[in-house]
Amino acid sequence: MLRFLARRTLGAIVIILLISAITFFLFFALPSEPALMSCGKNCTADSLAVINKNLGLDQPVPVQYWHYMVGIFAGRDLTVGHCPAPCFGYSFSNQQPVWGTIVDRFPTTLSITLGGAAVFLTVGVGIGMLAAAFRGTWIDKAVSSLSLLGNALQIYFVGVIALAVLVSGLHWMDNPAYYPITDNPVKWFTGMIIPWLVLSIIFIANYSRMTRSQMIEQLAEDHVRTARAKGLGRRAVFFRYAWRGAMAPIVTIFGIDLGSLFGGAIITEFTFSLHGLGRLAVSSVSETDLPTLMAVMLVGCTAIVIANIVVDAAYAFIDPRVRLA
C-alpha cells in the first residue's frame, strides 16, 4: 500500500510542476504589460522600467519561474523586503502579499466544495441504492425521473430560483454567506446550506443513476446469487456483497469529478456573491495579476491532486487488485 501511495504522490508532484510551468509561461505569451497595473495614469517609459525591475519582470522568463518556485519553499528577497516561505509574491494590482489573500479566500471555497461533495455523495448514492432496492416500482421510476430533471439544470439557474423561493419568498433561510467555522459553527452551516444544495443538485442526479445501475449489475453477479442461495438475508446481501462492489466505480468517477466540482464551486461563488478562490482567479485574469493567478492555480491544483490521492487510496482499499496492478 505504501508503494502504491508513493507512486501516486510522485506522479502528483510532476503534474503540479507541469501545470505551474504551463500557467507561468502562457501568462507571458499574452499581449499584456503587467507593470501598467502599478504605473498609474501618468506612466512613462522610465517608470515602467523601474516597476519591471522591482517586480523582477526584467529577467528572462525561465529565471523568473525558477525564482518563483524556489520562493515558495525557501522564501525570497524582493524590493519591498523579504518574503518568507511560502512566498507567492506580491499582487501586481494592490501590492499585497498573495499568500495572505489565499489564506483569507481558501476556507470559503473549501467549505463549498467539501460540503457539496458530502451532500451529493450521501444523497445521490442513497437514493440510487433505494431505487435499486425497489427496482421497477414507483420509487424507482420517481428517482429516475427526478435524476433526468436534475441533470438538465444549471447552477446559476437553480441558484436564482433557490434565492427567490427559500430566501425572498418563504423566508426559510438567510442569504448565503460564509462565516468561519471556528467563530460560529451554526452560522457557518446555515450560511452554506443553499450553496451546497445548488452545487450538488447536478451531481446528485448523476450519482443516483450510476449507483442504481451499478447496484443492479452487482445484484446479478454470481457471488451475490451464491450468497442468497446460502440463506443470507436480503439486507446482508445488499450491503455486504453488492454495495462494496458497486462503490468501486463510484469512487473512480468521484476522483474524475473533483475538477468539475472545483469549477462548480467557482460558479456557485459568483451566483451567491461569495468571496472564494474562484472569484479571485477570475479577477486576477482580468487584471493580469500573475502572482495571484499562479497562487490560485497551484493551491487549487494541489488540493485536487491530494483529494485524488485520497480517492485512489480508498479505491485501492475497496479493490485490492488496484494495488497489485
Side-chain angles (χ1 to χ4, degrees), residues 72-281:
I72 294 176
F73 300 99
R76 56 178 171 157
D77 293 321
L78 300 172
T79 55
V80 294
H82 179 72
C83 180
C87 177
F88 288 91
Y90 288 78
S91 171
F92 289 168
S93 59
N94 57 24
Q95 287 75 51
Q96 296 297 316
V98 174
W99 179 243
T101 306
I102 295 295
V103 171
D104 290 339
R105 299 290 190 96
F106 184 68
T108 303
T109 301
L110 185 65
S111 296
I112 296 173
T113 304
L114 293 184
V119 170
F120 76 68
L121 281 176
T122 303
V123 177
V125 172
I127 63 177
M129 293 175 63
L130 184 66
F134 295 94
R135 181 185 180 187
T137 64
W138 67 270
I139 296 177
D140 182 20
K141 295 177 182 178
V143 170
S144 300
S145 300
L146 291 175
S147 297
L148 291 175
L149 176 63
N151 200 38
L153 298 175
Q154 297 296 327
I155 292 175
Y156 50 83
F157 173 77
V158 179
V160 173
I161 298 299
L163 288 175
V165 175
L166 299 178
V167 178
S168 301
L170 300 175
H171 303 287
W172 286 357
M173 297 181 182
D174 297 329
N175 277 313
Y178 173 76
Y179 300 93
I181 189 173
T182 54
D183 294 346
N184 194 323
V186 175
K187 279 193 172 183
W188 170 81
F189 181 79
T190 55
M192 290 284 105
I193 290 178
I194 293 180
W196 288 343
L197 294 176
V198 171
L199 175 61
S200 63
I201 188 167
I202 298 175
F203 293 95
I204 288 174
N206 293 332
Y207 278 77
S208 63
R209 289 189 292 109
M210 286 190 294
T211 303
R212 176 187 178 275
S213 63
Q214 289 296 325
M215 288 296 297
I216 291 175
E217 182 180 333
Q218 288 295 317
L219 289 170
E221 292 287 338
D222 292 338
H223 69 281
V224 176
R225 289 186 299 197
T226 301
R228 286 174 175 167
K230 288 182 177 180
L232 287 179
R234 182 182 180 185
R235 181 176 297 179
V237 170
F238 194 82
F239 289 101
R240 187 181 302 175
Y241 290 89
W243 180 80
R244 184 170 181 176
M247 286 303 101
I250 300 298
V251 170
T252 303
I253 298 300
F254 177 68
I256 298 173
D257 282 343
L258 285 175
S260 301
L261 186 63
F262 187 75
I266 294 175
I267 301 175
T268 306
E269 289 173 12
F270 272 93
T271 303
F272 299 110
S273 299
L274 299 172
H275 298 283
L277 291 183
R279 292 173 65 91
L280 184 62

Side-chain angles (χ1 to χ4, degrees), residues 43-81:
C43 188
T44 63
D46 292 337
S47 300
L48 278 178
V50 172
I51 293 173
N52 278 320
K53 182 178 178 59
N54 292 338
L55 296 177
L57 299 175
D58 59 332
Q59 299 174 339
V61 176
V63 175
Q64 294 183 48
Y65 176 71
W66 170 255
H67 289 162
Y68 182 87
M69 297 304 296
V70 171
I72 294 176
F73 300 99
R76 56 178 171 157
D77 293 321
L78 300 172
T79 55
V80 294

